[in-house]
């Protein structure tokens, strides 16, 4: 799907709406990037359905491949304004705050403003708009506002209109300051007022209807009811914008002349409910637990409601909606304390906006403002013994003590007895399958990354580490079950630490979650240390396979794909990794380069290691030369990089078809330089074993985990395999054994290539056709890392 470019100088500018991990780097939401118009057209002209676009990050100059789904086009002048804001999170908030951004675009010298300095506000006048430090190498310079402070703001500035020796405007010393537009409140002048006034929160005295009033009005001689959303004047006539009670039209507003609207005596229970016939009559259902205005603990002993609390709301017709509190406070013209809730489904009417101002941000039709006392804790995640959730909260799944204990991973028969069955594994909720599958794969039957649970890393966030250990990994290994509330607790922390609100409800990819928690929150060392083209420092947590379509690779195995990718980009592993997480060559949820991929139960990385001894692929002696041309030669074996001793290299390259090859010299460790001929000493092979595979089909992630040494020892996990109840119910995670996988792993490659996926037994088709991420471990290195 093509993105409309924002061309102003031959470049197209974009802002990331979600975080993006690329190699060892993580670019948070709000990061700005660009690509040339020529590059844009080249990407989409021949491939209109391209899923990735190669862009340059404006903040630090890296070139990365970004999925087009998270790129929001912006005009050049908008990008320049946003670039003046230092933090990506504040930058994204300012981009979504459209009114302030539009005001900044129209602002110019001479306009009166109010500026924010150290959380205080002072009056001033704009004297300059433009860049104040230009780099000849930068594609775009940030735009700042030079403001002369007045009144109480005098002597609160930092300059006389100059910056780093360049004068941009003149004022008294201490009265000048340069700020991004996010620190400025623009005051419109008389010349900027439109003919039609925008809806106002405050109505003039004498106007009988105010925002929030319940009102009645006639449509085609039928009496309707609703809530006044805005009161404004157009010319000499007053109008009321009403959200009607009509079923299914909660996002449709009617603009009605004021003299056709009758104010009801009572204000409705909520500001944006699905209005029923009792609206305005005080008959909206009240929660059994009456929360105080301050959100103090209710009679039932539930904790106080706060930002990020999961809640349920009963609307006027008894309909229940569920969501997460994103904002608490007071709205104009509303005396009660209000909650801004992001709903699980598209049953709201806003994106977090109330009368032109954003109080929080969410997807359209997901936001709802209600009285705080109308919110109850979400019963689906409460530990009440008397509720229908006894299936989830029975005595078998009691909370674990908070002592820093550890439980070993489950193997062989222990894994079967603890993990197999319904209501086993990690319970999914609200698009959590990417996280559920990743956590189950990494911690159920292996300890290769248990260092994440205990090691005091430099950047380690103890709270996140404790939640991961005490609420997820330990319960999983002890009882075989993790409730959705525990995973939501982790998702809330990722939202707060990662400053990306979508982690609690949006679809994500496993690599985004793993890069965030490993790199940004826990701060662990990159799992992979790579060298590319002789340059080190290309470290990462997940390795993405990039390669051109190979005609001779119809049904490849993982070993072949890794070798092709390493050869294509001239990459080597600087050291043996303890954990090697590999993403398959597929983009998005639909495009797959290969319809089937064979799992390599062992991954031989000997020839991928930098400066390690290599074996001549002809005679077995120590290799001294490597040839990329021979790797593609069909005369040789289909797998394995091609390296030779000097004698065999001369013989191989004496053939007329290989005389143009250019072998490169290998580094031979000193202890292997003096050896007996013909490889009397074997070069040690470094192999890693497969322990889990994540798969995706129609936006849903599941995982296969190897729990024992035999080919039959595989289990299949789905966090949302079944469901109890409808909207008010919960998901039932399930773990099943899938020994049928071994039947296909034992088949010759040529026979397996002819197997039709629809004819495969059990869930084997998912493993071979839907693989998204393979996870390998080195038992030797896991002891040291």
């Amino acid at each position: 799907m093509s993105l409309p470019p924002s061309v102003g100088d031959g470049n197209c500018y974009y802002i990331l709406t979600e975080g993006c991990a690329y190699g060892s780097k993580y670019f948070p939401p709000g990061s700005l990037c660009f690509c040339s118009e020529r590059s844009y057209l080249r990407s989409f002209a021949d491939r209109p359905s391209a899923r990735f676009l190669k862009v340059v990050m404006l903040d630090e100059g890296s070139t990365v491949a970004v999925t087009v789904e998270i790129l929001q086009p912006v005009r050049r002048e908008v990008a320049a304004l946003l670039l003046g804001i230092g933090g990506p999170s504040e930058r994204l908030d300012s981009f979504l705050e459209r009114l302030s951004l539009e005001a900044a675009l129209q602002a110019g010298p001479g306009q009166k403003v109010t500026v924010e300095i150290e959380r205080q506000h002072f009056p001033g006048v704009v004297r300059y708009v433009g860049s104040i430090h230009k780099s000849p190498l930068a594609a775009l310079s940030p735009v700042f506002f030079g403001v002369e402070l007045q009144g109480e703001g005098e002597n609160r500035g930092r300059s006389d209109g100059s910056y780093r020796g360049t004068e941009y405007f003149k004022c008294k010393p201490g009265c000048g300051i340069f700020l991004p537009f996010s620190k400025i409140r623009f005051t419109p002048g008389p010349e900027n007022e439109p003919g039609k006034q925008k809806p106002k929160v405050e109505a003039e005295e004498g106007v009988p209807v105010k925002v929030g009033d319940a009102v009645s009005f006639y449509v085609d001689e039928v009496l309707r009811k609703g809530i006044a959303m805005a009161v404004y004047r157009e010319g000499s006539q007053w109008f009321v914008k009403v959200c009607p009670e009509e079923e299914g039209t909660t996002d449709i507003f009617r603009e009605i002349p004021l003299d056709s609207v009758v104010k009801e005596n009572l204000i409705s229970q909520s500001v944006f409910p699905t209005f029923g016939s009792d609206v305005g009559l005080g008959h909206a259902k009240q929660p059994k637990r009456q929360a105080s205005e301050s959100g103090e603990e209710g009679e039932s002993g539930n904790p106080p409601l706060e930002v990020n609390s999961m809640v349920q709301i009963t609307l006027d017709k008894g309909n229940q909606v569920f969501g997460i509190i994103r904002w608490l406070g007071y709205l104009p013209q509303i005396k009660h304390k209000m909650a801004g809730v992001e709903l699980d489904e598209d049953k709201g009417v806003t994106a977090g906006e109330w009368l032109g101002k954003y109080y929080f941000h969410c997807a359209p039709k997901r936001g709802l403002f209600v009285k705080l006392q109308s919110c109850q804790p979400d019963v689906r995640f409460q530990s009440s013994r008397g509720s229908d959730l006894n299936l989830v909260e029975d005595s078998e799944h009691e909370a674990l003590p908070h002592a820093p204990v550890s439980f070993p991973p489950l193997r062989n028969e222990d894994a079967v007895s603890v993990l197999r069955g319904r209501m086993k594994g990690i319970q999914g909720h609200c698009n959590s399958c990417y996280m559920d599958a990743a956590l189950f794969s990494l911690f159920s039957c292996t300890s290769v990354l248990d260092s994440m649970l205990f090691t005091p890393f430099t950047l380690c966030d103890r709270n996140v580490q404790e939640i991961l250990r005490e609420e997820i990994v330990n319960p999983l290994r002890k009882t075989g079950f993790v409730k959705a509330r525990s995973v939501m607790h982790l998702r809330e922390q990722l939202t707060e630490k990662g400053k990306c609100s979508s982690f609690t409800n949006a679809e994500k990819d496993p690599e985004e979650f793993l890069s965030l928690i490993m790199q940004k929150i826990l701060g662990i060392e990159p799992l992979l240390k790579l060298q590319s083209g002789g340059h080190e420092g290309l470290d990462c947590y997940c390795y993405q396979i990039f390669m051109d379509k190979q005609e001779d690779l119809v049904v490849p195995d993982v070993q072949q794909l890794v070798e092709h990718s390493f050869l294509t980009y001239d990459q080597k592993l600087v050291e043996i990794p303890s954990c090697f997480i590999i993403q398959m060559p597929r983009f998005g949820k639909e495009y797959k380069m290969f319809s089937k991929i064979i799992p390599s139960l062992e991954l031989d990385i000997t020839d991928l290691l930098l400066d390690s001894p290599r074996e001549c692929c002809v005679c077995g002696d120590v290799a001294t030369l490597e040839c990329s041309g021979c790797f593609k030669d069909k005369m040789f074996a289909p797998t394995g990089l091609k390296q030779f001793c000097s004698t065999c290299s001369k013989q191989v390259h004496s053939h007329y078809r290989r005389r143009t090859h250019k072998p490169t010299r290998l580094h031979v460790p000193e202890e292997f330089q003096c050896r007996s001929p013909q490889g009397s000493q074997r070069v040690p092979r470094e192999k890693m074993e497969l322990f889990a595979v994540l798969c995706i089909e129609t936006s849903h992630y599941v995982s296969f985990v190897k729990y024992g040494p035999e080919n039959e020892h595989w289990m299949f996990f789905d966090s949302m395999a079944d469901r109890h109840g409808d909207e008010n119910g919960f998901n039932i995670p399930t773990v099943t054994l899938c020994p049928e996988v071994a039947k296909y792993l034992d088949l010759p490659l040529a026979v397996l290539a002819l197997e039709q996926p629809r004819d495969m037994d059990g869930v084997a088709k998912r493993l071979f056709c839907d693989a998204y991420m393979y996870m390998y471990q080195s038992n030797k290195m896991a002891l040291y890392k």
Side-chain angles (χ1 to χ4, degrees):
M1 180 178 65
S2 178
L3 289 175
S6 298
V7 183
D9 54 359
N11 291 328
C12 310
Y13 295 91
Y14 305 96
I15 186 170
L16 298 191
T17 57
E18 296 183 20
C20 170
Y22 190 82
S24 62
K25 295 182 179 180
Y26 177 77
F27 302 98
S31 299
L32 288 165
C33 58
F34 76 97
C35 70
S36 68
E37 181 181 2
R38 179 180 301 177
S39 175
Y40 172 88
L41 294 174
R42 187 168 58 245
S43 297
F44 291 103
D46 298 328
R47 295 178 295 131
S49 60
R51 310 296 298 173
F52 283 79
L53 182 64
K54 190 167 286 188
V55 297
V56 179
M57 307 306 296
L58 280 169
D59 289 312
E60 47 91 72
S62 295
T63 300
V64 302
V66 180
T67 174
V68 297
E69 295 171 352
I70 67 171
L71 290 174
Q72 176 65 42
V74 294
R75 305 197 307 270
R76 183 181 189 278
E77 56 269 26
V78 171
L81 283 172
L82 293 171
L83 194 58
I85 302 173
S89 176
E90 183 186 356
R91 187 183 293 160
L92 182 60
D93 289 343
S94 298
F95 171 70
L96 296 173
E97 184 68 65
R98 306 301 300 178
L99 293 179
S100 297
L101 182 56
E102 291 299 328
L105 288 169
Q106 298 174 12
Q111 183 167 344
K112 292 184 177 181
V113 294
T114 301
V115 302
E116 180 184 340
I117 303 175
E118 297 177 353
R119 298 187 178 182
Q120 298 185 60
H121 295 85
F122 303 101
V125 177
V126 175
R127 299 300 185 195
Y128 172 79
V129 181
S131 59
I132 54 176
H133 50 82
K134 299 180 180 179
S135 169
L137 300 178
L140 185 68
S141 297
V143 167
F144 294 89
F145 287 79
V147 178
E148 180 182 1
L149 298 172
Q150 298 180 337
E152 297 178 357
E154 291 189 7
N155 298 318
R156 298 271 187 167
R158 299 162 190 163
S159 77
D160 59 355
S162 301
Y163 181 79
R164 293 185 178 179
T166 301
E167 183 182 280
Y168 294 94
F169 65 95
K170 288 184 178 181
C171 67
K172 289 188 280 185
C175 291
I177 191 168
F178 294 91
L179 294 169
F181 80 93
S182 59
K183 299 296 183 183
I184 300 174
R185 187 182 304 161
F186 298 93
T187 305
E191 67 281 0
N192 295 326
E193 292 182 0
K196 176 179 177 178
Q197 297 183 8
K198 293 182 179 179
K200 297 181 180 179
V201 174
E202 66 281 352
E204 294 182 5
E205 280 192 44
V207 177
V209 177
K210 293 183 173 60
V211 172
D213 286 350
V215 296
S216 297
F217 57 96
Y218 281 92
V219 176
D220 297 328
E221 299 183 356
V222 177
L223 183 64
R224 305 284 189 182
K225 296 184 179 183
I227 294 293
M229 309 299 296
V231 182
Y232 63 93
R233 184 172 59 190
E234 183 177 348
S236 60
Q237 187 173 5
W238 284 87
F239 290 86
V240 181
K241 180 179 285 189
V242 178
C243 182
E245 70 168 78
E246 298 167 19
E247 193 70 31
T249 59
T250 55
D251 58 342
I252 296 177
F253 299 96
R254 294 183 180 273
E255 296 182 350
I256 303 169
L258 180 61
D259 53 12
S260 299
V261 174
V262 178
K263 177 182 176 182
E264 296 285 342
N265 292 328
L266 298 173
I267 298 179
S268 72
Q269 172 71 17
S270 68
V271 179
F272 284 117
T274 304
F275 300 109
S277 58
D278 294 332
V279 68
L281 301 179
H283 295 157
K285 292 189 177 181
Q286 296 291 331
K288 294 180 181 179
R289 176 193 61 81
Q290 290 292 337
S292 67
E293 287 295 324
S294 62
E296 295 176 356
E297 186 172 334
E299 295 177 2
S300 63
N302 288 318
L305 296 178
E306 54 189 16
V307 173
N308 287 331
S309 291
M310 298 177 66
V311 295
Q312 63 184 44
I313 304 159
T314 303
L315 302 179
D316 290 347
K317 289 189 175 180
N319 298 320
Q320 282 194 328
V321 292
F322 301 88
I324 300 173
I325 294 179
R326 295 298 184 201
W327 173 85
L328 289 173
Y330 294 89
L331 294 170
Q333 305 294 323
I334 304 295
K335 65 179 181 179
H336 300 283
K337 189 171 186 179
M338 305 297 291
V341 181
E342 181 177 2
L343 301 179
D344 290 352
E345 302 176 86
D346 294 345
K347 293 186 176 180
V349 295
T350 177
E353 179 186 14
W354 168 247
L355 293 177
K357 179 179 179 181
Y358 278 91
Y359 291 85
F360 65 98
H361 297 287
C362 66
K365 298 186 181 180
R366 287 290 182 100
L368 190 72
F369 287 96
V370 296
K371 291 180 183 178
L372 179 57
Q373 67 186 31
S374 298
C375 298
Q376 288 179 280
D378 192 333
V379 296
R380 299 175 298 175
F381 304 102
Q382 299 302 304
S383 57
S384 171
R385 299 294 176 191
S387 71
D388 290 338
L389 293 184
N390 285 339
L391 284 171
V392 182
E393 298 287 346
D394 59 22
S395 58
E396 182 184 356
H397 304 138
E398 290 179 1
L400 295 174
H402 287 282
V405 297
S406 67
F407 293 87
L410 299 164
R411 298 291 293 171
N412 301 312
E413 291 305 315
D414 288 340
V416 175
S417 61
V418 175
L419 291 172
R420 181 173 61 172
R422 283 168 58 85
M423 220 59 194
K424 289 291 187 176
I426 301 174
Q427 186 183 32
H429 172 67
C430 196
N431 296 321
S432 67
C433 60
Y434 70 95
M435 190 177 297
D436 306 328
L439 291 171
F440 187 86
S441 299
L442 287 174
F443 296 108
S444 60
C445 299
T446 179
S447 60
V448 66
L449 288 181
D450 274 16
S451 58
M452 291 174 61
L453 309 177
F454 300 98
T455 307
F457 301 107
T458 306
L459 302 178
C460 179
D461 188 289
R462 293 289 184 179
N463 191 30
V464 171
Q465 191 178 59
E466 182 176 339
I467 293 170
L468 185 62
R469 181 181 66 244
E470 303 294 343
E471 297 187 29
I472 295 177
V473 178
N474 281 352
L476 178 64
R477 292 174 175 177
K478 182 184 180 185
T479 70
F481 176 78
V482 179
K483 56 189 177 181
R485 173 65 260 182
S486 298
V487 179
M488 182 56 74
H489 194 188
L490 177 62
R491 295 170 78 184
E492 290 168 355
Q493 288 297 309
L494 296 180
T495 294
E496 179 181 340
K497 309 299 181 183
K499 296 183 179 179
C500 176
S501 62
S502 57
F503 261 105
T504 55
N505 55 21
E507 294 180 0
K508 298 284 185 183
D509 292 323
E511 67 272 16
E512 183 177 356
F513 158 61
L514 294 175
S515 294
L516 174 65
I517 193 170
M518 290 181 182
Q519 177 183 9
K520 191 172 182 182
I521 296 179
L522 295 181
I524 70 174
E525 288 188 12
L527 300 179
L528 298 178
K529 297 184 183 298
L530 297 172
Q531 182 188 88
S532 179
H535 301 287
E536 294 188 16
L538 302 177
D539 305 337
C540 60
Y541 297 86
C542 303
Y543 181 78
Q544 171 70 65
I545 289 179
F546 287 108
M547 57 183 293
D548 297 327
K549 183 70 174 179
Q550 304 289 325
E551 294 182 1
D552 56 329
L553 288 180
V554 180
V555 183
D557 59 26
V558 178
Q559 181 80 41
Q560 290 174 306
L561 295 178
V562 172
E563 289 173 351
H564 272 274
S565 184
F566 268 67
L567 185 71
T568 300
Y569 290 95
D570 190 19
Q571 293 173 330
K572 293 293 181 184
L573 290 168
V574 176
E575 61 184 29
I576 302 171
S578 60
C579 184
F580 196 171
I581 301 175
I582 308 169
Q583 293 174 242
M584 292 298 98
R586 58 180 297 164
F587 305 105
K589 306 173 182 65
E590 301 171 359
Y591 173 73
K592 296 187 292 187
M593 182 174 287
F594 302 100
S595 59
K596 251 188 292 192
I597 296 176
I598 312 303
S600 299
L601 297 180
E602 283 189 332
L603 186 68
D604 191 334
I605 62 170
T606 308
D607 298 336
L608 305 179
L609 290 167
L610 179 69
D611 295 342
S612 70
R614 307 273 289 278
E615 185 179 274
C616 175
C617 63
V618 177
C619 70
D621 199 357
V622 176
T624 56
L625 296 163
E626 180 181 51
C627 182
S628 60
C630 288
F631 177 74
K632 303 172 184 178
D633 195 318
K634 295 181 180 180
M635 291 293 294
F636 292 97
T639 59
L641 300 179
K642 302 302 178 284
Q643 57 274 332
F644 310 93
C645 64
S646 57
T647 302
C648 291
S649 179
K650 289 179 182 178
Q651 183 177 356
V652 166
H653 292 101
S654 64
H655 193 284
Y656 71 93
R657 290 181 180 176
R658 305 188 194 101
R659 288 173 184 170
T660 57
H661 291 188
K662 297 179 180 179
T664 56
R665 186 160 296 279
L666 295 172
H667 175 269
V668 180
E670 185 176 348
E671 59 270 27
F672 285 87
Q673 291 179 1
C674 299
R675 296 179 54 196
S676 303
Q678 299 304 314
S680 57
Q681 284 182 292
R682 302 293 296 176
V683 172
R685 309 301 298 181
E686 295 293 346
K687 296 183 179 181
M688 304 185 74
E689 68 175 34
L690 179 66
F691 69 87
V693 183
L694 268 68
C695 301
I696 183 174
E697 183 182 37
T698 60
S699 302
H700 182 61
Y701 287 96
V702 295
S703 66
F704 289 83
V705 173
K706 201 166 190 299
Y707 65 89
E710 305 299 328
N711 280 1
E712 296 85 3
H713 290 171
W714 285 91
M715 56 177 52
F716 174 73
F717 165 64
D718 186 346
S719 65
M720 303 178 184
D722 200 357
R723 188 165 179 84
H724 174 78
D726 297 321
E727 287 189 3
N728 300 331
F730 52 86
N731 291 310
I732 298 176
T734 303
V735 178
T736 57
L737 302 185
C738 48
E740 66 271 16
V741 167
K743 168 185 173 181
Y744 301 98
L745 290 174
D746 293 337
L747 289 177
L749 182 60
V751 177
L752 183 57
L754 298 176
E755 280 285 336
Q756 294 298 317
R758 63 176 178 272
D759 298 330
M760 287 184 166
D761 298 339
V763 294
K765 175 255 181 186
R766 305 288 300 274
L767 177 63
F768 290 93
C769 300
D770 300 330
Y772 182 87
M773 180 180 283
Y774 284 85
M775 297 180 172
Y776 289 86
Q777 63 182 350
S778 168
N779 293 324
K780 177 175 69 175
M781 297 306 298
L783 298 174
Y784 304 100
K785 293 188 177 183

